[in-house]
Amino acid sequence: MRIALLSYSTKPRGGVVHTLALAEALAAAGEDVTVWTLGRGGDDGFFRTVDPAVRLRVVPFPDGPPDETVGARILRSIATLRDAFDPTPYDIVHAQDCISANAAGRCVRTVHHLDHFTTPELAACHERAIVEPYAHICVSRSVADELSDGWGLKPAVIPNGVAYERFATTDPAARAAWRSRLGPYVLTVGGIEPRKGSLDLLEAYASLRTGHPGVRLVIAGGETLFDYRDYRARWETRAAELGVRPMVLGPVADEELPALVAAADAFAFPSLKEGFGLAAMEALAAGVPLVVRDLPVLREVFGPAARFGDSPQTLAAELGGALDSYDPARAEAGRELAARHTWTEAAAHHLAFYRALTP
């Protein structure tokens, strides 16, 4: 089967990580897979090495003018990918986000999570990418139910895989190097942005430091299409008001990320919107205590393997509990949960779904 997987970026965002891992698992199953994406900022490849069994098509996407708005950038992204992509060689065209779905034409769409945008061009992109694809996949039942309730759709549910061994068996020297550099720390991955609940985590960290003054908050990741400068400015102002100084690492090299995760004392995942929580599942694979936002989707995915908080105060309390008392039963439940989510199984379910769509 000839399969095209489309994404919007080469950067290490969750949907891009998903796209590459799925592509490699499909190729390992013997399928002919090509990943199409936009090469932003001069990128001519992805943030990590990709199995050579997967064909890559990185479409150049030069920076726009300094005054380019988010809406204009979205429209230019769609047009650039659409002009380069030819769907005719493929049996399945599968888009992983609203930009690539708008560019692809007739396609399968994975809806990782639903957003509510105020930028008109982005809101229209989001809506078209739900209503126009002819088939849909979600990575959790909670998001599938949102599509059913809001649009009358009946998506298939195929959970993410996780690179279990990569996070469960990290190099002790690499972990020690992060500990030496950072000391005790709570880690979050995903950058500083509204959807990630960054302001709530900042408030929680300030409360946490009352009983744990030596623990640092470390923030990794953060590449995104959107302009969150105003939110980042509010975050920095609030950090100064609270008298806290989190360590903001920005994007971390792919080969360094597993040890950074494994060396953490706890992993915080206070997102306001999620479809699955791949970064949090990676933390469980590493045996790191996990505290997440109390959302239905995260209850569905993580169950007894995580601690849950619904406010800065309860997030702080649960992080404090995770730091004060290691829970071996919860840690083992987390490892077992992560180990069950394999990309091999996810690829098999995708192939069954694709075959049901093709003559």
Side-chain angles (χ1 to χ4, degrees):
M1 185 178 294
R2 295 163 299 174
I3 302 165
L5 298 181
L6 280 72
S7 185
Y8 72 101
S9 176
T10 57
K11 308 297 186 185
R13 300 292 287 184
V16 181
V17 172
H18 170 108
T19 303
L20 295 182
L22 175 60
E24 290 170 331
L26 289 168
E31 305 304 323
D32 183 340
V33 185
T34 304
V35 173
W36 287 78
T37 195
L38 293 171
R40 301 177 184 280
D43 283 356
D44 58 5
F46 281 93
F47 67 93
R48 68 167 176 85
T49 301
V50 181
D51 190 318
V54 176
R55 294 187 178 90
L56 301 179
R57 298 290 183 269
V58 180
V59 179
F61 186 77
D63 292 338
D67 60 348
E68 184 176 44
T69 64
V70 171
R73 188 159 67 250
I74 294 298
L75 294 179
R76 189 165 62 90
S77 298
I78 294 168
T80 301
L81 188 55
R82 179 191 293 136
D83 289 346
F85 177 65
D86 178 9
T88 55
Y90 303 107
D91 302 302
I92 291 289
V93 173
H94 186 172
Q96 297 288 335
D97 52 81
C98 80
I99 288 172
S100 61
N102 276 254
R106 177 176 168 79
C107 68
V108 177
R109 167 80 199 284
T110 291
V111 181
H112 292 270
H113 66 273
L114 293 169
D115 273 309
H116 300 285
F117 295 113
T118 57
T119 302
E121 297 89 345
L122 190 50
C125 172
H126 183 267
E127 182 70 13
R128 287 194 302 269
I130 292 173
V131 302
E132 293 185 359
Y134 71 95
H136 301 77
I137 296 171
C138 292
V139 293
S140 60
R141 170 53 55 192
S142 295
V143 177
D145 288 345
E146 287 185 77
L147 281 186
S148 177
D149 293 342
W151 288 268
L153 300 171
K154 301 298 180 186
V157 177
I158 305 177
N160 276 318
V162 63
Y164 178 80
E165 293 298 330
R166 180 169 132 81
F167 286 86
T169 57
T170 53
D171 176 27
R175 295 197 304 272
W178 281 115
R179 294 291 292 189
S180 175
R181 174 182 173 186
L182 300 173
Y185 62 96
V186 172
L187 177 67
T188 191
V189 174
I192 298 168
E193 58 185 76
R195 185 173 71 84
K196 294 299 182 181
S198 302
L199 278 169
D200 278 357
L201 180 57
L202 189 64
E203 300 281 350
Y205 175 57
S207 296
L208 178 68
R209 279 176 52 85
T210 301
H212 301 81
V215 173
R216 175 175 278 173
L217 174 62
V218 176
I219 302 170
E223 289 286 354
T224 179
L225 271 179
F226 310 124
D227 184 354
Y228 293 134
R229 282 175 293 185
D230 289 346
Y231 186 87
R232 176 68 178 263
R234 293 202 306 275
W235 186 90
E236 290 173 348
T237 297
R238 187 58 181 148
E241 291 171 349
L242 293 168
V244 296
R245 296 180 63 185
M247 170 71 77
V248 182
L249 297 176
V252 173
D254 185 62
E255 65 273 13
E256 298 178 7
L257 182 63
L260 173 68
V261 173
D265 294 88
F267 192 94
F269 199 70
S271 294
L272 297 165
K273 283 280 186 179
E274 284 294 340
F276 180 85
L278 184 54
M281 192 66 78
E282 292 167 344
L284 291 184
V288 176
L290 174 64
V291 178
V292 305
R293 176 85 62 175
D294 196 352
L295 302 176
V297 62
L298 298 182
R299 287 275 181 183
E300 172 196 340
V301 172
F302 295 108
R307 294 171 176 264
F308 295 87
D310 60 3
S311 67
Q313 294 73 30
T314 54
L315 288 166
E318 293 300 331
L319 285 167
L323 295 174
D324 288 337
S325 178
Y326 180 72
D327 186 339
R330 184 178 273 128
E332 183 59 26
R335 287 188 184 274
E336 291 177 356
L337 177 66
R340 291 199 298 271
H341 285 80
T342 71
W343 284 111
T344 298
E345 182 176 0
H349 286 301
H350 277 82
L351 283 173
F353 184 79
Y354 296 157
R355 286 169 182 147
L357 299 175
T358 55

